[in-house]
Amino acid sequence: MSEQTQFDVIVIGAGPAGYHAAIRAAQLGRKVACIDAALGKDGKPALGGTCLRVGCIPSKALLDSSRQFHNLQHLFGEHGITANDAKIDVGTMIGRKDKIVKQFTGGIEMLFKANKVKPYFGFATLHANRRVVVKQHDGSEVELSAANVILAAGSDSIELPFAKFDGETIVDNVGALDFTQVPKRLAVIGAGVIGLELGSVWKRLGAEVTILEAMPDFLAAADAEVARTAAREFKKQGLDIRLGAKVSAAEIIGKDQERQVRISFQDKFGEQSITVDKLLVAVGRRAATRGLLAEDSGVKLNERGQIEVDEHCHTGVDGVWAVGDCVRGPMLAHKGFEEGIAVAELIAGLPGHVNFDTIPWVIYTEPEIAWVGKTEQQLKDAGVPYKAGSFPFAANGRAVAMLEPAGFVKILAHAETDRVLGMHLVGANVSELVHEGVLTMEFSGSADDLARICHAHPSLSEVIHDAAMAVDKRAIHKAN
Ligand code: NAD
């Protein structure tokens, strides 16, 4: 006999989109349950979704460890600091990462407690009339129902049919966060966000890294000038990125400690093959909807397998909403945060809303890459008249003092109104700097507004100030 429980709001999934929805709904006085099936590395339930367990947070921990190691070996000498025989203990590095993950997944549990969100640990399926059946980890079943259900089931890695994940030699992001030693040779399929970030981690620790990208253009979603600069910097670092590479096979050879992968691919030089110790497949993610929707739920999927929603994240089924990676739009944790909050507010009768035009993108490589708004190509394609102003980090005192002169900031503004339409950055700390662009665009600001805002000297943010001045060819620190 299953226990029956009634809530105002049930959230399926405690990742970025789900936990934001649950907490905001609880703040607004709703009785909320949030269900998640995931287990942590210790086999215990872990809230926080891909982002906290095996995505944003652990990858940033490893990016930071590997950056320190790389700088110790390659940059500190310029400061006059030498350390002989630098070593990295991979176990300690992974242990630090696991501790951070535990701190943050545990943090969500504490936030749920503080906000009186009732967690359920198990796999949930939505049935008709907002009935949710949860198969709990102890084998028991519980049936919940609510006036509103928010689906926030997230996404799974896409597997290639010829390169099945085995968790050891052929891995996705989860496996690549847990190598027990630095692989001598690592191949990555997909030069997207995960491929570049995790490829950078293991490259900095000493692996030979080859990235095989099917598309002929590098980082096609980014501004072309940003992508070119980033590609040049990655090449200098020794990341071997092969564009237009069509992988046809990945065959495991050897046994136990000797296991390797032989990868066959074709590019402009013809048929090729490389043999590596580990293969990371990072060719995108797809909505995680398997088992989520009973036949009578009424919720529809679109042609890409995502849950169909309108602009308010409503599925069309009375009281059923969907947010985050399992619906259309970029698969970014912060996009999920905003959708989760917006839906909780809509349920409470408030005007919840997400502005898709000002969602920032960040790739945490070295240098970092970030953007918000339209690229030059998008403006050209749409026939929008624009002016561009850019400024290099190499002419910024703070960046040079930090030994981080690579990259630039480019601001695109409407040719007639001067309204900022896009900001594109590659360089030091641009993951933080991009928010000047987000704020300006959110407030419909102009390049002149940015140019007239006093920026502290010396600071990296002055690059934005100079780029804004360059829009009208009045940058002080470069020839216009
Ligand atoms: P992605 O879409 O960023 O990149 C996948 C890349 O693989 C693309 O360049 C694509 O052309 C290439 N590709 C696809 N099939 C291929 C094939 N058969 N052979 C060679 N190349 C192929 O996807 P991802 O890197 O797997 O990341 C998944 C999602 O997670 C993305 O939506 C990303 O935005 C998100 N994510 C974001 C961050 C961040 O915000 N910093 C970090 C990690 C992941």
Side-chain angles (χ1 to χ4, degrees):
M1 251 283 279
S2 66
E3 151 200 353
Q4 283 231 357
T5 312
Q6 177 72 36
F7 289 89
D8 297 323
V9 178
I10 296 172
V11 183
I12 302 182
Y19 82 73
H20 274 70
I23 292 173
R24 186 73 188 112
Q27 285 174 347
L28 291 164
R30 300 304 186 268
K31 185 181 173 198
V32 183
C34 185
I35 310 151
D36 200 291
L39 301 173
K41 261 177 95 173
D42 57 5
K44 295 191 181 136
L47 303 173
T50 299
C51 166
L52 265 61
R53 288 182 299 105
V54 289
C56 319
I57 301 303
S59 63
K60 259 74 273 167
L62 297 191
L63 276 158
D64 205 61
S65 296
S66 61
R67 182 168 189 252
Q68 309 275 11
F69 183 62
H70 180 269
N71 287 352
L72 173 62
Q73 290 184 307
H74 302 285
L75 213 68
F76 283 11
E78 256 191 80
H79 291 279
I81 304 167
T82 48
N84 296 328
D85 212 14
K87 285 192 189 66
I88 176 92
D89 181 86
V90 174
T92 304
M93 177 184 81
I94 300 289
R96 185 188 88 98
K97 178 263 294 176
D98 291 342
K99 221 169 119 191
I100 294 168
V101 167
K102 198 132 186 66
Q103 179 188 337
F104 279 82
T105 55
I108 303 295
E109 224 173 311
M110 274 159 38
L111 287 172
F112 276 7
K113 226 176 243 155
N115 286 282
K116 302 194 172 53
V117 172
K118 166 101 175 115
Y120 284 89
F121 302 107
F123 192 88
T125 303
L126 173 72
H127 294 259
N129 303 319
R130 299 175 306 278
R131 260 188 337 110
V132 175
V133 175
V134 186
K135 284 199 177 71
Q136 303 188 104
H137 295 308
D138 63 6
S140 67
E141 226 174 61
V142 56
E143 189 179 313
L144 317 175
S145 61
N148 286 280
V149 174
I150 305 173
L151 304 169
S155 60
D156 293 319
S157 303
I158 293 176
E159 194 169 54
L160 292 172
F162 51 82
K164 298 264 184 213
F165 300 126
D166 66 2
E168 281 273 326
T169 314
I170 303 181
V171 297
D172 63 359
N173 56 302
V174 181
L177 288 168
D178 269 336
F179 292 150
T180 50
Q181 53 187 344
V182 180
K184 195 164 169 310
R185 284 156 309 172
L186 167 70
V188 181
I189 305 182
V193 188
I194 294 180
L196 290 172
E197 290 186 359
L198 290 178
S200 296
V201 164
W202 295 105
K203 169 75 200 144
R204 292 174 198 164
L205 297 177
E208 248 173 60
V209 178
T210 307
I211 304 185
L212 304 169
E213 166 60 49
M215 302 293 283
D217 295 320
F218 179 60
L219 275 183
D223 183 87
E225 220 179 327
V226 166
R228 268 199 305 279
T229 301
R232 202 169 51 236
E233 292 300 320
F234 298 155
K235 193 168 178 196
K236 274 195 227 159
Q237 292 163 19
L239 272 178
D240 181 7
I241 302 173
R242 316 272 184 99
L243 299 176
K246 306 268 182 298
V247 184
S248 54
E251 184 199 348
I252 301 263
I253 51 176
K255 280 208 168 97
D256 304 325
Q257 301 300 322
E258 310 290 308
R259 272 164 81 89
Q260 291 185 317
V261 200
R262 189 187 299 131
I263 303 160
S264 310
F265 64 96
Q266 191 175 29
D267 65 5
K268 63 181 177 197
F269 302 110
E271 284 294 337
Q272 312 222 33
S273 132
I274 52 170
T275 301
V276 298
D277 305 295
K278 302 277 183 193
L279 169 62
L280 161 62
V281 180
V283 295
R285 299 177 65 82
R286 64 162 61 99
T289 55
R290 198 180 327 146
L292 176 69
L293 305 167
E295 264 181 35
D296 63 357
S297 74
V299 174
K300 291 193 183 63
L301 302 183
N302 65 18
E303 68 288 350
R304 299 186 58 196
Q306 298 157 326
I307 296 171
E308 188 77 52
V309 286
D310 65 14
E311 70 272 31
H312 303 297
C313 295
H314 195 260
T315 63
V317 175
D318 193 28
V320 182
W321 313 75
V323 292
D325 279 10
C326 64
V327 302
R328 84 282 171 268
M331 287 188 173
L332 299 171
H334 44 281
K335 173 261 195 185
F337 291 174
E338 300 306 323
E339 284 182 336
I341 289 174
V343 166
E345 293 186 345
L346 287 168
I347 289 171
L350 299 171
H353 173 69
V354 180
N355 183 359
F356 273 79
D357 293 335
T358 55
I359 294 176
W361 282 80
V362 177
I363 308 178
Y364 296 84
T365 42
E366 189 70 29
E368 293 181 343
I369 298 165
W371 70 88
V372 57
K374 304 285 186 226
T375 63
E376 285 203 53
Q377 196 56 49
Q378 286 169 334
L379 293 175
K380 279 180 194 150
D381 292 347
V384 177
Y386 70 93
K387 6 177 218 181
S390 63
F391 195 82
F393 281 93
N396 174 271
R398 185 86 197 278
V400 172
M402 288 164 64
L403 288 179
E404 302 214 48
F408 64 89
V409 172
K410 177 161 74 179
I411 294 172
L412 307 175
H414 195 283
E416 285 134 31
T417 65
D418 195 41
R419 184 172 170 165
V420 174
L421 303 172
M423 189 185 283
H424 302 274
L425 312 90
V426 52
N429 287 17
V430 299
S431 55
E432 307 292 339
L433 297 179
V434 67
H435 297 96
E436 283 208 36
V438 176
L439 268 171
T440 307
M441 288 179 62
E442 195 60 54
F443 289 120
S444 310
S446 63
D448 190 53
D449 287 332
L450 263 175
R452 291 186 188 280
I453 290 171
C454 180
H455 286 68
H457 174 79
S459 72
L460 296 173
S461 71
E462 287 175 287
V463 177
I464 292 176
H465 188 244
D466 272 305
M469 293 185 75
V471 170
D472 275 331
K473 305 202 179 328
R474 55 189 160 108
I476 302 292
H477 300 100
K478 72 166 197 178
N480 290 288

